[in-house]
Amino acid sequence: MSRESISTFDIFKIGVGPSSSHTLGPWRAGRLFLRDFYSPDVERVQVDLYGSLAKTGRGHGTDIAVQLGLMDWDPKTCPVDEINPTIASLKSDRVMLLAGKHHISFNPETDIVFHMDETLPFHPNGIKYTFWLKNSEVRSRTYYSVGGGFVVTEDEELGENRCVLLPYPIQHAADIVRYAELKELTIPDMVRANERCWRPKEETDAGLDEIWATMRECIYRGCHSEGVLPGGLNVTRRAKKLNADLMSGRSYKGFDQWVENMRYSSPNFQQTLRWISIFALAVNEENAAFGRVVTAPTNGAAGVIPAVMMYGHTFLGFTHEQLREFILVASEIGCLFKKGATISAAMGGCMAEIGVSSAMAAAGHAYMLGCDTARILMAAEIAMEHHLGLTCDPVGGLVQVPCIERNTMGAMKAITAANIALASDPTLAKISLDDVIVTMWETALDMNSRYKETSEGGLALRIPVIVPEC
Ligand code: SF4
């Protein structure tokens, strides 16, 4: 079990699709390698990918991510529209602007090595960066992308947050219950107090607002973009057409008018369900198209939480401040799963992605509905209980099928779980959130590796031939 201190902004990171473990993690590892080992004398670089990163790396954009990382592009701020042309010219010119500072020759075909039959013992997502310098010195380091964009080495957890002593250290859900009873704190109270160890309240609020702004921009963009997703599977984007169908010709300009239209259309139950699905589809179509998304807690599951938040914002009138608190509650639940189990599909299959995001969303939604702490934790438990054993079997190694639709299911389960918890007596529950986290981890250990982001089992076998795009 991990004992590091994890911030809300470690769980929710603004980045680029399609995968937090296979895109964002290797990208961040490349920048960390630059930070610690870059020299103007570097003449050559090689990247070695192992395990799941090798097996599904091409479909997940790992090769693209490592090149952007080595050029020191920032995943939070880089212009996503320039990614494809930059990678295309790098491929044709075979020249890389290393660290954004000096040019070296780089051939992605040979300098990125996919070790398809080798998995490093420490973790299935291993990546080694190596520099060769003019004086023949060799600098090398191996990193592990352990889910949600988190990166570690075998010796240490990388990040500035790990040594911070928090006023409310939380390892288990039982700790939350204890602080709630002894100190009369809500979950947002606890998380806010902990976050103050890293930055002032105003900065935390600004960061929370930026997360919600990125999520809603992603939803809006996804609902107004069409075409076929990259990767060779020829998946057609659906969110735009579904949005147009429900809008029934009503005109609008920009996000706010769009939301007003939705509100005043008085949707029935079936239409509301469709809207929630559209929100989730929109985010994950953007994610699959290398768009800007927020890990929540991963990229593959990036649509669940925005869909539930957007539902609350649009149809239940959740305020700006309430949406901040939604994020705080959800992040603490994500931390519990990261510490007690995993948020890496390569370790735990899709229950580690969609399952965890659904539990996070269920807790956030339950809080918004007015649940007390026991019911909030109950909502998270219910949501995960019905994701246990969910396999990760992405067709063609792409984060598209079943991933995009699966986000709609995670959102629906989250809303259902929150409403069941709202109407229930948590003292009668037979399984606690801590029980289900332990069970999830034990289930992860029992799962065959074919169902852990390797594309060697399940649905991935039904459509075996993918023609990668140039
Ligand atoms: S199947 Fe689930 S865990 Fe696997 S890549 Fe898709 S969303 Fe992620």
Side-chain angles (χ1 to χ4, degrees), residues 72-127:
D72 207 21
W73 282 37
D74 184 342
K76 184 175 174 183
T77 57
C78 72
V80 290
D81 293 345
E82 291 180 22
I83 289 176
N84 283 338
T86 302
I87 293 298
S89 66
L90 199 158
K91 185 177 178 185
S92 61
D93 300 347
R94 297 187 180 179
V95 173
M96 170 187 281
L97 184 60
L98 186 67
K101 290 178 179 163
H102 80 276
H103 289 98
I104 59 169
S105 67
F106 184 85
N107 181 355
E109 299 294 327
T110 53
D111 292 328
I112 303 174
V113 184
F114 292 78
H115 298 269
M116 303 297 280
D117 298 321
E118 189 176 354
T119 299
L120 302 182
F122 183 77
H123 190 278
N125 289 337
I127 179 166

Side-chain angles (χ1 to χ4, degrees), residues 60 300-301 345 349-350 353-354 391-394 398-399 402-403 406-407 453:
H60 284 52
C350 200
E353 291 208 25
I354 297 290
T391 57
C392 170
D393 48 0
L398 299 163
V399 193
C403 319
R406 197 165 276 177
N407 279 262
E453 212 167 7

Side-chain angles (χ1 to χ4, degrees), residues 16-31 45-73 83-84 86-91 95-96 106-116 125-129 145 230-231 288 290 396-399 466-470:
V16 176
S19 168
S20 48
S21 57
H22 287 53
T23 316
L24 186 59
W27 187 330
R28 297 180 80 215
R31 298 185 82 208
V45 57
Q46 179 171 307
V47 186
D48 293 271
L49 303 172
Y50 299 92
S52 176
L53 287 186
K55 287 174 178 163
T56 60
R58 285 195 197 280
H60 284 52
T62 309
D63 47 345
I64 293 172
V66 299
Q67 293 172 73
L68 296 170
L70 287 169
M71 290 188 284
D72 207 21
W73 282 37
I83 289 176
N84 283 338
T86 302
I87 293 298
S89 66
L90 199 158
K91 185 177 178 185
V95 173
M96 170 187 281
F106 184 85
N107 181 355
E109 299 294 327
T110 53
D111 292 328
I112 303 174
V113 184
F114 292 78
H115 298 269
M116 303 297 280
N125 289 337
I127 179 166
K128 183 169 81 170
Y129 285 92
S145 178
F290 290 81
L398 299 163
V399 193
I466 299 289
V467 181
E469 288 191 342
C470 295

Side-chain angles (χ1 to χ4, degrees), residues 212 216-217 220 253-260 310 313:
W212 170 233
R216 64 173 193 255
E217 282 160 18
Y220 190 74
K253 209 170 171 187
F255 179 85
D256 291 339
Q257 280 187 17
W258 181 55
V259 169
E260 288 307 306
M310 186 70 183
H313 172 66

